[in-house]
Amino acid sequence: MAPLPRSAPSAQATDARGVIAFLDAIEGVPGIEPHGVMLLRHGQVIAEGWWAPYTPDELHHLYSLSKLFTSTAAGFAWAEGLLDLDAPVISYFPELDAEVTDPASRSILVRHVASMSAGHSTEQWDRALTADPDEPVRGFLLEPPDGTPGVTFAYSQSSTFALGAIIQRVAGQSLVEYLRPRLFEPLGIGEVFWLRHPAGRDLGFAGLHATTEAVARLGQLYLQGGSWDGQQLLAPEWVAEATRAHVDNSGGGDSESDWAKGYGFQFWMCRHGYRGDGAYGQYCVILPEQDAVLAMTSETHDMQAVLDAVWTHLLPAFDREGPAASDAELSRRLTGLHLPFPDGEEIPDSEFTAARSDLRFLQRVTLGPRTLTLHEEDGTTTTLPLATGTWPIAGHIAARAAKTDADTVTVHLQFTLTPHKLRIICDLRSGTFEAAWRTVPLMDPSKVTLSAVADPAHRLGL
């Protein structure tokens, strides 16, 4: 993979002090935990950093940021004549034609599912999956919309799933296979994997695992109107259509919310520019007026706060002169980053049983000064190394543990392919523990195990 060009912020007319203020903001707000960040200006990387145990090369679950890649696949299929935006969705599933009789369902067009305006007024995925777990498109089309297709907005995974299913059907390939020669290889994006449902069909609305830099490269492609290294990869007409508002999503809500500025083809419009985002803090923010892209992976429930920090600190830094010394200060700030963890005394050898746990399958925890062993209900054991001051990684799980008061051992498990952290609080007096996710993995609760969260690609045989 050819490296992206690097530059000092001041060489790209950016005041590094604004970037430092942005980092202060996202690190200083309780509940925001940055994992990786890349900022590009004029096609140059001017700031980048990863908070250990996260690294530049490891894949990260993008959650709904995956939708941008599905939109891009739709752009290629449209340009190749495989996808008609004005065709009814039902036309791509002729085997459902006799069943789907409601006129409103039959009037849902491809452009409607691309723009989250299929006409259902609420998230519909669970209902579609319940109706037909093997072919959710059938469940989607069998429920007549309660609004008007093309007008009624609802952020619904069913819409993106239907779009992705159509692309995979007309292409005769998975989304990853279809995108490999058209997007991933030309952009220099290496390994990725996409979760599937059903077997053989990439999920489309979530489940893509890729690096922070892959997100940055995709954002830069859109910023450049679909051009990369002098080659027009994606039709500029698609870029323009995908990144403009097709439907009003304000719903009479907060006028300052960046979730109420309109919706394109799987892109959110923003107060400034446009973006893709994913649950718990995955972002690709594209700022055409500033010729800038921000790619970020993180863990947070307060996604608006991160965007507020972008508008407050990064926007004013563009085209503002700053001292050269600030470039060096920013470089130092981005070196040796790591997720915080409380210090404490060395851990005594001890064993704990579950008192209360969000993970019903986690039965026992065995601790020593250098190792942590997790015992699951089915007899599976996972032993992880512990080391003071670092986040040693084993099997995509990084563990830290410390005696944080006289009677308590605090354990954090960081699942490095995901935004998720599991906190285990062990009581030395009772010999019991309580475990809770800081952000709960969005997957079938009955299938949540340590291995399923830590390495979903291995679990799925990808």
Side-chain angles (χ1 to χ4, degrees):
M1 179 172 67
L4 292 171
R6 264 68 178 173
S7 176
S10 60
Q12 304 304 322
T14 304
D15 185 351
R17 293 174 297 181
V19 183
I20 293 169
F22 170 73
L23 295 172
D24 287 341
I26 62 174
E27 287 191 312
V29 175
I32 298 178
E33 182 180 274
H35 296 160
V37 64
M38 293 187 76
L39 179 63
L40 283 69
R41 183 96 202 275
H42 304 323
Q44 307 272 325
V45 179
I46 60 171
E48 59 186 320
W50 286 263
W51 284 254
Y54 291 91
T55 65
D57 298 327
E58 187 152 50
L59 308 184
H60 198 284
H61 189 180
L62 302 182
Y63 276 112
S64 282
L65 188 51
S66 308
K67 292 179 171 71
L68 295 200
F69 291 84
T70 301
S71 177
T72 304
F76 287 121
W78 172 79
E80 293 168 12
L82 299 175
L83 186 70
D84 181 354
L85 290 171
D86 293 310
V89 171
I90 186 62
S91 68
Y92 290 93
F93 299 90
E95 72 276 16
L96 303 179
D97 189 70
E99 280 189 278
V100 179
T101 58
D102 187 273
S105 291
R106 296 181 67 86
S107 72
I108 300 171
L109 305 180
V110 173
R111 67 171 60 252
H112 299 155
V113 294
S115 60
M116 295 292 185
S117 61
H120 301 98
S121 61
T122 59
E123 167 65 70
Q124 202 253 1
W125 174 247
D126 286 345
R127 300 194 299 275
L129 200 61
T130 298
D132 192 335
D134 296 321
E135 180 48 276
V137 174
R138 177 175 174 271
F140 167 61
L141 290 173
L142 283 176
E143 181 182 321
D146 54 337
T148 304
V151 176
T152 303
F153 172 85
Y155 188 74
S156 178
Q157 314 310 324
S158 294
S159 289
T160 315
F161 183 84
L163 179 64
I166 292 169
I167 297 164
Q168 291 170 93
R169 177 165 283 204
V170 298
Q173 297 175 291
S174 71
L175 291 173
V176 168
E177 290 167 338
Y178 184 65
L179 287 172
R180 175 59 59 196
R182 295 166 175 80
L183 180 73
F184 297 141
E185 289 176 359
L187 262 60
I189 294 173
E191 180 189 4
V192 301
F193 72 86
W194 212 319
L195 301 183
R196 292 177 170 180
H197 181 87
R201 182 187 290 172
D202 292 340
L203 198 54
F205 62 79
L208 181 62
H209 290 65
T211 63
T212 316
E213 183 163 330
V215 174
R217 287 172 180 255
L218 182 70
Q220 189 65 33
L221 175 70
Y222 274 86
L223 184 63
Q224 295 170 177
S227 175
W228 191 267
D229 284 344
Q231 181 182 1
Q232 193 69 44
L233 300 181
L234 193 60
E237 297 86 354
W238 179 266
V239 173
E241 279 296 289
T243 62
R244 73 170 179 88
H246 286 263
V247 61
D248 180 0
N249 64 350
S250 60
D254 180 3
S255 62
E256 291 303 302
S257 168
D258 283 293
W259 280 263
K261 300 299 181 185
Y263 198 79
F265 288 163
Q266 307 295 299
F267 283 85
W268 296 94
M269 305 301 106
C270 304
R271 281 177 279 173
H272 307 276
Y274 54 90
R275 75 184 191 284
D277 61 42
Y280 304 131
Q282 324 319 314
Y283 299 89
C284 181
V285 182
I286 302 161
L287 302 168
E289 289 187 15
Q290 293 76 25
D291 195 20
V293 172
L294 173 68
M296 181 172 166
T297 52
S298 64
E299 182 203 36
T300 183
H301 285 290
D302 193 353
M303 294 181 66
Q304 183 65 64
V306 174
L307 293 174
D308 289 343
V310 174
W311 314 145
T312 300
H313 302 293
L314 287 185
L315 280 186
F318 298 132
D319 298 320
R320 185 179 73 193
E321 187 175 347
S326 296
D327 291 344
E329 182 183 353
L330 175 61
S331 180
R332 288 191 296 271
R333 173 65 180 276
L334 289 168
T335 302
L337 296 168
H338 59 87
L339 298 184
F341 185 81
D343 294 325
E345 299 176 17
E346 188 169 271
I347 304 161
D349 290 325
S350 46
E351 182 168 292
F352 305 90
T353 56
R356 185 190 65 79
S357 174
D358 286 355
L359 281 72
R360 294 189 298 274
F361 61 85
L362 187 58
Q363 300 295 300
R364 289 187 296 127
V365 172
T366 305
L367 273 165
R370 299 289 176 266
T371 60
L372 162 69
T373 301
L374 305 164
H375 305 263
E376 298 183 54
E377 188 176 33
D378 64 359
T380 301
T381 60
T382 303
T383 298
L384 303 170
L386 298 173
T388 303
T390 65
W391 285 90
I393 300 176
H396 304 297
I397 306 176
R400 293 290 299 273
K403 188 178 178 185
T404 48
D405 64 38
D407 301 313
T408 306
V409 174
T410 299
V411 179
H412 284 182
L413 302 183
Q414 201 79 38
F415 293 77
T416 58
L417 289 181
T418 79
H420 302 299
K421 176 190 275 88
L422 181 65
R423 297 183 294 190
I424 305 173
I425 308 300
C426 303
D427 188 327
L428 291 166
R429 295 167 299 179
S430 65
T432 62
F433 72 86
E434 297 186 355
W437 294 104
R438 196 168 104 147
T439 51
V440 179
L442 299 181
M443 58 190 299
D444 183 345
S446 68
K447 297 179 181 177
V448 176
T449 65
L450 293 176
S451 61
V453 177
D455 194 356
H458 177 75
R459 174 173 60 88
L460 295 173
L462 299 176

